[in-house]
Amino acid sequence: MISNLTVFFCIVWVATLLYGEKFAFWVPSYWSCSWPSPPMDNPGDYVKIAVVTDPQLMDRTSLHLAPKSLTLEVVQFYTDIYMRRAILGSIAPFKPDMILFLGDYFDGGPVLSDEEWQESLNRFRHIFDLKNLERATNNQVYFLSGNHDIGYAAYHSRMPQVINRYEKVFGSRNYNFTAGKVEFVAVDAQTLDGHPQQNQTSAAWKFVTSVSRETHSPPRVLLTHIPLFRQDSTSCGSQRSSPIINQRISRATDDHEIVYQNYLTEETSKKLLDYVKPVLVLSGHDHDQCSVTHVAEHGPVLEETLGTISWQQGNLYPSFMLLTASKVTVSNEWDYVSTHLCFLPTQLFIYIWYIVLFVVTLVVILLWPTNGLNIQLHIGELMSDMLGIFKSSKEKDEDENCEYEMVWDAEGSMHLIKKASKIMPTRSNERVERGNATMRAVGKKQILQEINVTMPQDVSGQLGSTDGKVGPFKTKSSNVRVVVRRFMRVFRVISVVAAVNVPIYIMLLFSDWIDK
């Protein structure tokens, strides 16, 4: 028979798993996030764009684990399923007109073999459901190259095949497109600070120069994976959760090409702002949120650096952005674009809550009385006390003619049961009748011995015992039986809870992973 305690914990665990594995990803769609409110009142007057960055699919280069090892496979799966739930449960319900990825789709992209790179690409396509996204947005899915996809300038001269395989799948690294009245300019930031004579660097600046020559250009949004230059310790606003990262540039010893950089150089950043003249800059790379206002010749420019969408890339609070681009002409060009940063569930906190709930479950089951809580008894005693205030003196006299019998339960707790007092026979061989039952003095002696077995040792000693050695021994045996019963109950309850919730967890886990 399943106890009420078992049913209670089954329900609690089912509700917890449903929230952690499903409902938590619906929260941004229904409560904490929405499309930004542009100056236009008509939703048909703007284009809805979802922006995502830095998934960085984990591979053998991420944790220095052996390829195909069980640990790596488990880490990859739980990281991938989080991002798949984010795109299916949090982003897709907003029904964006466009999806914009700001780079770093792989972790060890430049150093992966062609086979490993293709495997990571298949995972990326599956996680973000690219086939259905392209169908839903009419192929309006745009990609920006990141340093974990093609590396920095030092890689390009030595490993041109890395760029070639990227462009075959994701297209050009320098391009522009229009959404409503807004032009988006995507630049391969990894090549901008390279040697001017390097082919990829010169091609990137040639594209930027061509954009700058356009007259009567619409309002622009600059897309760059690497953020623009900012002074060290520049404040990033209240939405940042990690310490500020200062500028760091590493160069190769032979040709002095860039191997790594946190931000673009000050000179490059100034040229980009002056050439493109954007009203907004979107970037990634930093894995955390940052809002910085740059001073340019055409006025102040806000740069929004997005945090990673992965919960395994150093940010406890993954995020994505909802952006609207106006389809109609507005008076202020800075009003053509509106943004709203949305946060995803904190996966680490969900797993911590699972652990805490498991510990609480064990403790409660272990300490819960084996006979449950006699709530009815306590309520009855409370009602008796309340009614006793209104009793007459005659009733009090009747109470004085009653006696109370001590009853001990298996836990060693004493309960008093009120019974009508009767004149007890003085002879030991006389019989005492209670209702239809007859009890002899010998039977009473046996009952007292049985009660003594279940008494705690200290209580038994106070009430007295015919044998000082037998009483404690029996009490110790009774305590052992209580402990065994408790552990057996823990095993039974945990088994039932697991039998109910493990299949539900597996179903929830893989229902989002399989193809829709």
Side-chain angles (χ1 to χ4, degrees), residues 104-378:
D104 276 3
Y105 315 120
F106 317 117
D107 201 2
V111 300
L112 296 179
S113 65
D114 290 341
E115 181 181 356
E116 291 172 329
W117 193 85
Q118 185 62 45
E119 181 180 350
S120 294
L121 175 62
N122 294 336
R123 285 171 55 203
F124 177 76
R125 285 171 169 165
H126 176 72
I127 291 169
F128 291 99
D129 201 21
L130 291 186
K131 184 181 298 184
N132 288 329
L133 282 183
E134 290 171 349
R135 184 185 303 112
T137 60
N138 195 21
N139 291 321
Q140 300 295 297
V141 181
Y142 298 94
F143 301 95
L144 190 65
S145 60
N147 59 291
H148 282 271
D149 303 319
I150 62 173
Y152 293 94
Y155 284 95
H156 302 157
S157 58
R158 303 167 186 168
M159 304 172 63
Q161 68 274 13
V162 171
I163 291 181
N164 294 335
R165 71 184 181 186
Y166 173 87
E167 290 185 334
K168 286 181 180 179
V169 175
F170 297 101
S172 176
R173 294 168 292 115
N174 300 285
Y175 64 96
N176 57 342
F177 64 92
T178 302
K181 295 286 186 178
V182 181
E183 180 183 9
F184 289 78
V185 180
V187 179
D188 178 12
Q190 290 71 231
T191 61
L192 292 176
D193 283 320
H195 194 280
Q197 302 302 320
Q198 210 266 354
N199 292 337
Q200 304 298 335
T201 300
S202 60
W205 281 112
K206 183 178 179 180
F207 168 75
V208 174
T209 303
S210 66
V211 170
S212 67
R213 292 172 182 169
E214 297 179 6
T215 59
H216 306 291
S217 62
R220 287 172 173 159
V221 175
L222 175 62
L223 307 176
T224 167
H225 176 72
I226 302 176
L228 302 185
F229 175 81
R230 61 196 64 164
Q231 296 293 337
D232 288 353
S233 301
T234 299
S235 175
C236 282
S238 59
Q239 292 177 319
R240 188 177 183 87
S241 59
S242 62
I244 304 300
I245 300 176
N246 295 325
Q247 173 69 294
R248 179 168 68 88
I249 298 180
S250 302
R251 296 181 181 272
T253 55
D254 50 357
D255 56 5
H256 299 286
E257 287 285 14
I258 291 180
V259 177
Y260 179 82
Q261 64 182 140
N262 290 331
Y263 309 112
L264 296 177
T265 61
E266 185 174 10
E267 179 184 2
T268 296
S269 301
K270 186 177 184 304
K271 288 175 64 176
L272 276 177
L273 292 175
D274 293 342
Y275 284 13
V276 180
K277 295 181 174 60
V279 298
L280 175 69
V281 178
L282 296 180
S283 57
H285 186 60
D286 200 16
H287 289 197
D288 205 346
Q289 297 71 233
C290 188
S291 297
V292 176
T293 300
H294 302 281
V295 178
E297 292 181 354
H298 65 289
V301 180
L302 175 65
E303 178 181 5
E304 292 281 5
T305 300
L306 274 69
T308 174
I309 194 176
S310 172
W311 71 284
Q312 286 280 16
Q313 294 300 328
N315 189 351
L316 285 177
Y317 307 96
S319 61
F320 63 96
M321 176 176 283
L322 297 179
L323 181 148
T324 55
S326 174
K327 291 182 180 179
V328 298
T329 304
V330 296
S331 57
N332 190 342
E333 66 175 357
W334 273 267
D335 291 334
Y336 275 91
V337 180
S338 300
T339 62
H340 188 176
L341 187 65
C342 303
F343 289 93
L344 294 164
T346 306
Q347 186 65 60
L348 182 61
F349 292 171
I350 293 175
Y351 289 153
I352 290 176
W353 171 237
Y354 288 168
I355 296 174
V356 171
L357 180 58
F358 179 73
V359 173
V360 170
T361 303
L362 287 180
V363 172
V364 172
I365 298 173
L366 188 61
L367 299 182
W368 194 267
T370 54
N371 60 342
L373 292 180
N374 196 341
I375 300 177
Q376 294 179 351
L377 177 61
H378 293 292

Side-chain angles (χ1 to χ4, degrees), residues 2 6-7 10 490-502:
I2 299 178
T6 305
V7 174
C10 283
V490 169
F491 177 78
R492 289 196 304 268
V493 174
I494 292 298
S495 299
V496 174
V497 173
V500 172
N501 287 274
V502 169

